[in-house]
Amino acid sequence: MAAEFSRPGSLYGAVDLGARKQALEAQARREAAGPSGAASAAVIEVTSATFNADVVERSMSVPVIVEATMRRAEQVQQFSGVMDKLAAEAAGAWLLARVDVEAEPQLAQALRMRAVPTVYLAFQGQLMPLFEGPLPEAQLRQALSQVFEQLGVEAAAPADESDEPPVDPELLRAEQAVEKGDLDAAAAAYQRLLARSPGDEGAKIGLAGVGLLRRTMDLDEADVLGRAADASDDVDLQLQAADLEMVSGRVDEAFDRLIGLVRRTRGADRDQVRVHLLGLFDALPADDPSVVRSRRALANALF
């Protein structure tokens, strides 16, 4: 787990941890998306502007399950995770389209939804409601199975989980702590996991993500980036700006900012920037295209 970067309303109160955590997780998922950075074909993030093309038009060739939800609502996050899992298992037999109704109130009104989440089926250009509320996984599988059976669509069989390795308890504790906004507990769990398994990339990414959250949670993005634009050689300010770019999803901008700073600095300042940049690399998989490119650029800047 990477600890998958916009700044909407706070999930944990005054501190905007939820949005930043989601953004970090999104960056970690870039590995699965491939070099192009495209999202998984099985799950589509839908807005009012893209609903017709991504849902109605696609439904002419493949069934589309529409999950109208509210991302920051903790009670539906597990349900959304199960929906992602089932969509991946389907392997293209049907697609999942997710709508954040808080971000798209007009679309929520058009769907005439009464509960979060509400699940719909789009098929052959027609949209129909299926059920309301977060169903347990077993009931959800059964409900979707019945729908696809009626449509004559053969959905992928459930994955056989008997051979899957169990989730490490420390990793689970770390994820739960991040969800609750308890960064100290999350960091401690990741550190225990790394002490036992130093090569665990998920724990490394998670710990780096927690560090990013800690460093940026009290920063005003507009203020920091504005001042950084006028102080290109202020090392501490540039490091803050790069952190904020990371948690806003602008990974390449963050990396390029610090590589440029490496070129302009010498001695202790240069080493401080280099070490900070290496820490940002840790927040993504080692073979992420942005990391691979920027490691080469860093080497050129140093030597």
Side-chain angles (χ1 to χ4, degrees), residues 31-297:
E31 179 188 31
S36 66
S40 168
V43 183
I44 313 159
E45 301 295 334
V46 179
T47 67
S48 55
T50 63
F51 190 87
N52 189 61
D54 284 344
V55 175
V56 179
E57 293 181 11
R58 285 186 186 228
S59 75
M60 300 302 293
S61 57
V62 62
V64 180
I65 298 296
V66 180
E67 178 194 350
T69 189
M70 189 179 296
R71 284 191 176 280
R72 69 185 183 94
E74 186 175 354
Q75 68 270 23
V76 301
Q77 290 174 3
Q78 182 177 358
F79 175 80
S80 293
V82 174
M83 290 292 291
D84 287 346
K85 174 183 174 182
L86 299 188
E89 289 177 5
W94 56 273
L95 302 179
L96 172 62
R98 181 168 291 124
V99 179
D100 185 342
V101 297
E102 189 171 41
E104 300 289 336
Q106 292 181 331
L107 190 51
Q109 185 176 8
L111 291 172
R112 299 179 181 178
M113 58 183 300
R114 300 176 300 179
V116 175
T118 300
V119 176
Y120 305 81
L121 167 69
F123 187 62
Q124 297 295 304
Q126 300 295 313
L127 185 69
M128 62 195 79
L130 294 181
F131 56 85
E132 298 176 345
L135 298 181
E137 181 173 344
Q139 293 182 27
L140 178 57
R141 285 186 181 275
Q142 183 178 12
L144 294 182
S145 177
Q146 291 173 350
V147 168
F148 296 131
E149 184 177 353
Q150 292 174 1
L151 295 177
V153 174
E154 184 175 347
D160 183 3
E161 299 180 353
S162 59
D163 295 330
E164 294 182 4
V167 176
D168 190 290
E170 293 291 4
L171 186 59
L172 182 59
R173 275 191 281 271
E175 292 175 349
Q176 291 172 340
V178 172
E179 292 288 348
K180 296 176 182 177
D182 189 345
L183 300 186
D184 290 339
Y190 284 130
Q191 288 166 346
R192 287 193 298 269
L193 182 54
L194 284 171
R196 190 174 69 246
S197 304
D200 190 301
E201 186 175 54
K204 180 199 72 173
I205 292 172
L207 187 59
V210 168
L212 262 175
L213 293 175
R214 281 173 162 166
R215 295 196 301 271
T216 59
M217 60 192 302
D218 294 324
L219 297 180
D220 183 301
E221 182 174 356
D223 173 67
V224 171
L225 293 181
R227 288 189 292 117
D230 298 324
S232 60
D233 293 327
D234 185 323
V235 171
D236 291 336
L237 190 56
Q238 293 300 319
L239 298 184
Q240 289 182 347
D243 282 348
L244 287 165
E245 285 170 335
M246 280 289 289
V247 297
S248 297
R250 303 193 301 276
V251 173
D252 291 327
E253 291 179 36
F255 290 169
D256 289 345
R257 176 186 294 274
L258 296 191
I259 290 168
L261 192 57
V262 165
R263 293 192 177 101
R264 299 193 302 273
T265 51
R266 293 291 182 272
D269 283 347
R270 170 184 264 200
D271 196 53
Q272 180 185 1
V273 178
R274 178 187 64 82
V275 170
H276 194 94
L277 179 56
L278 293 177
L280 294 188
F281 289 164
D282 284 344
L284 296 175
D287 59 352
D288 181 278
S290 293
V291 173
V292 173
R293 176 190 69 83
S294 297
R295 283 192 184 278
R296 289 197 298 264

Side-chain angles (χ1 to χ4, degrees), residues 6-27:
S6 57
R7 300 167 66 92
S10 169
L11 179 60
Y12 301 115
V15 178
D16 187 11
L17 293 180
R20 290 183 170 129
K21 171 183 170 291
Q22 290 172 4
L24 286 164
E25 290 173 341
Q27 290 305 314

